[in-house]
Amino acid sequence: MRISEGGPFTPEERKAAVLALLIAAGIAVFGLMVQQWTGPSLGPWGGDQAAASMPGVLDAQPVASSAF
């Protein structure tokens, strides 16, 4: 391993590292923007389907208490 006065890395290696960090930051920012635009996927329960009842599914009811 060659150690120069500028540190253990060559200028090309430092340039490649900075470029990799910039690309990773760009991908992360793009992902956050897409997440803000789209919101979570709720499948059939999202949007217009939120109020629709599902056939064969009963509403939640409390369990009848029995005398012990």
Side-chain angles (χ1 to χ4, degrees), residues 21-43:
L21 286 173
L22 289 175
I23 291 171
I27 291 172
V29 168
F30 179 72
L32 288 172
M33 288 175 24
V34 168
Q35 183 180 9
Q36 292 297 320
W37 288 333
T38 60
S41 172
L42 301 176

Side-chain angles (χ1 to χ4, degrees), residues 44-45 48-59:
W45 295 277
D48 297 334
Q49 297 293 325
S53 63
M54 297 176 64
V57 177
L58 300 175
D59 290 335

Side-chain angles (χ1 to χ4, degrees), residues 3-27:
I3 298 177
S4 63
E5 289 183 22
F9 301 106
T10 64
E12 293 83 17
E13 290 171 331
R14 287 192 292 269
K15 184 178 178 181
V18 168
L19 183 61
L21 286 173
L22 289 175
I23 291 171
I27 291 172

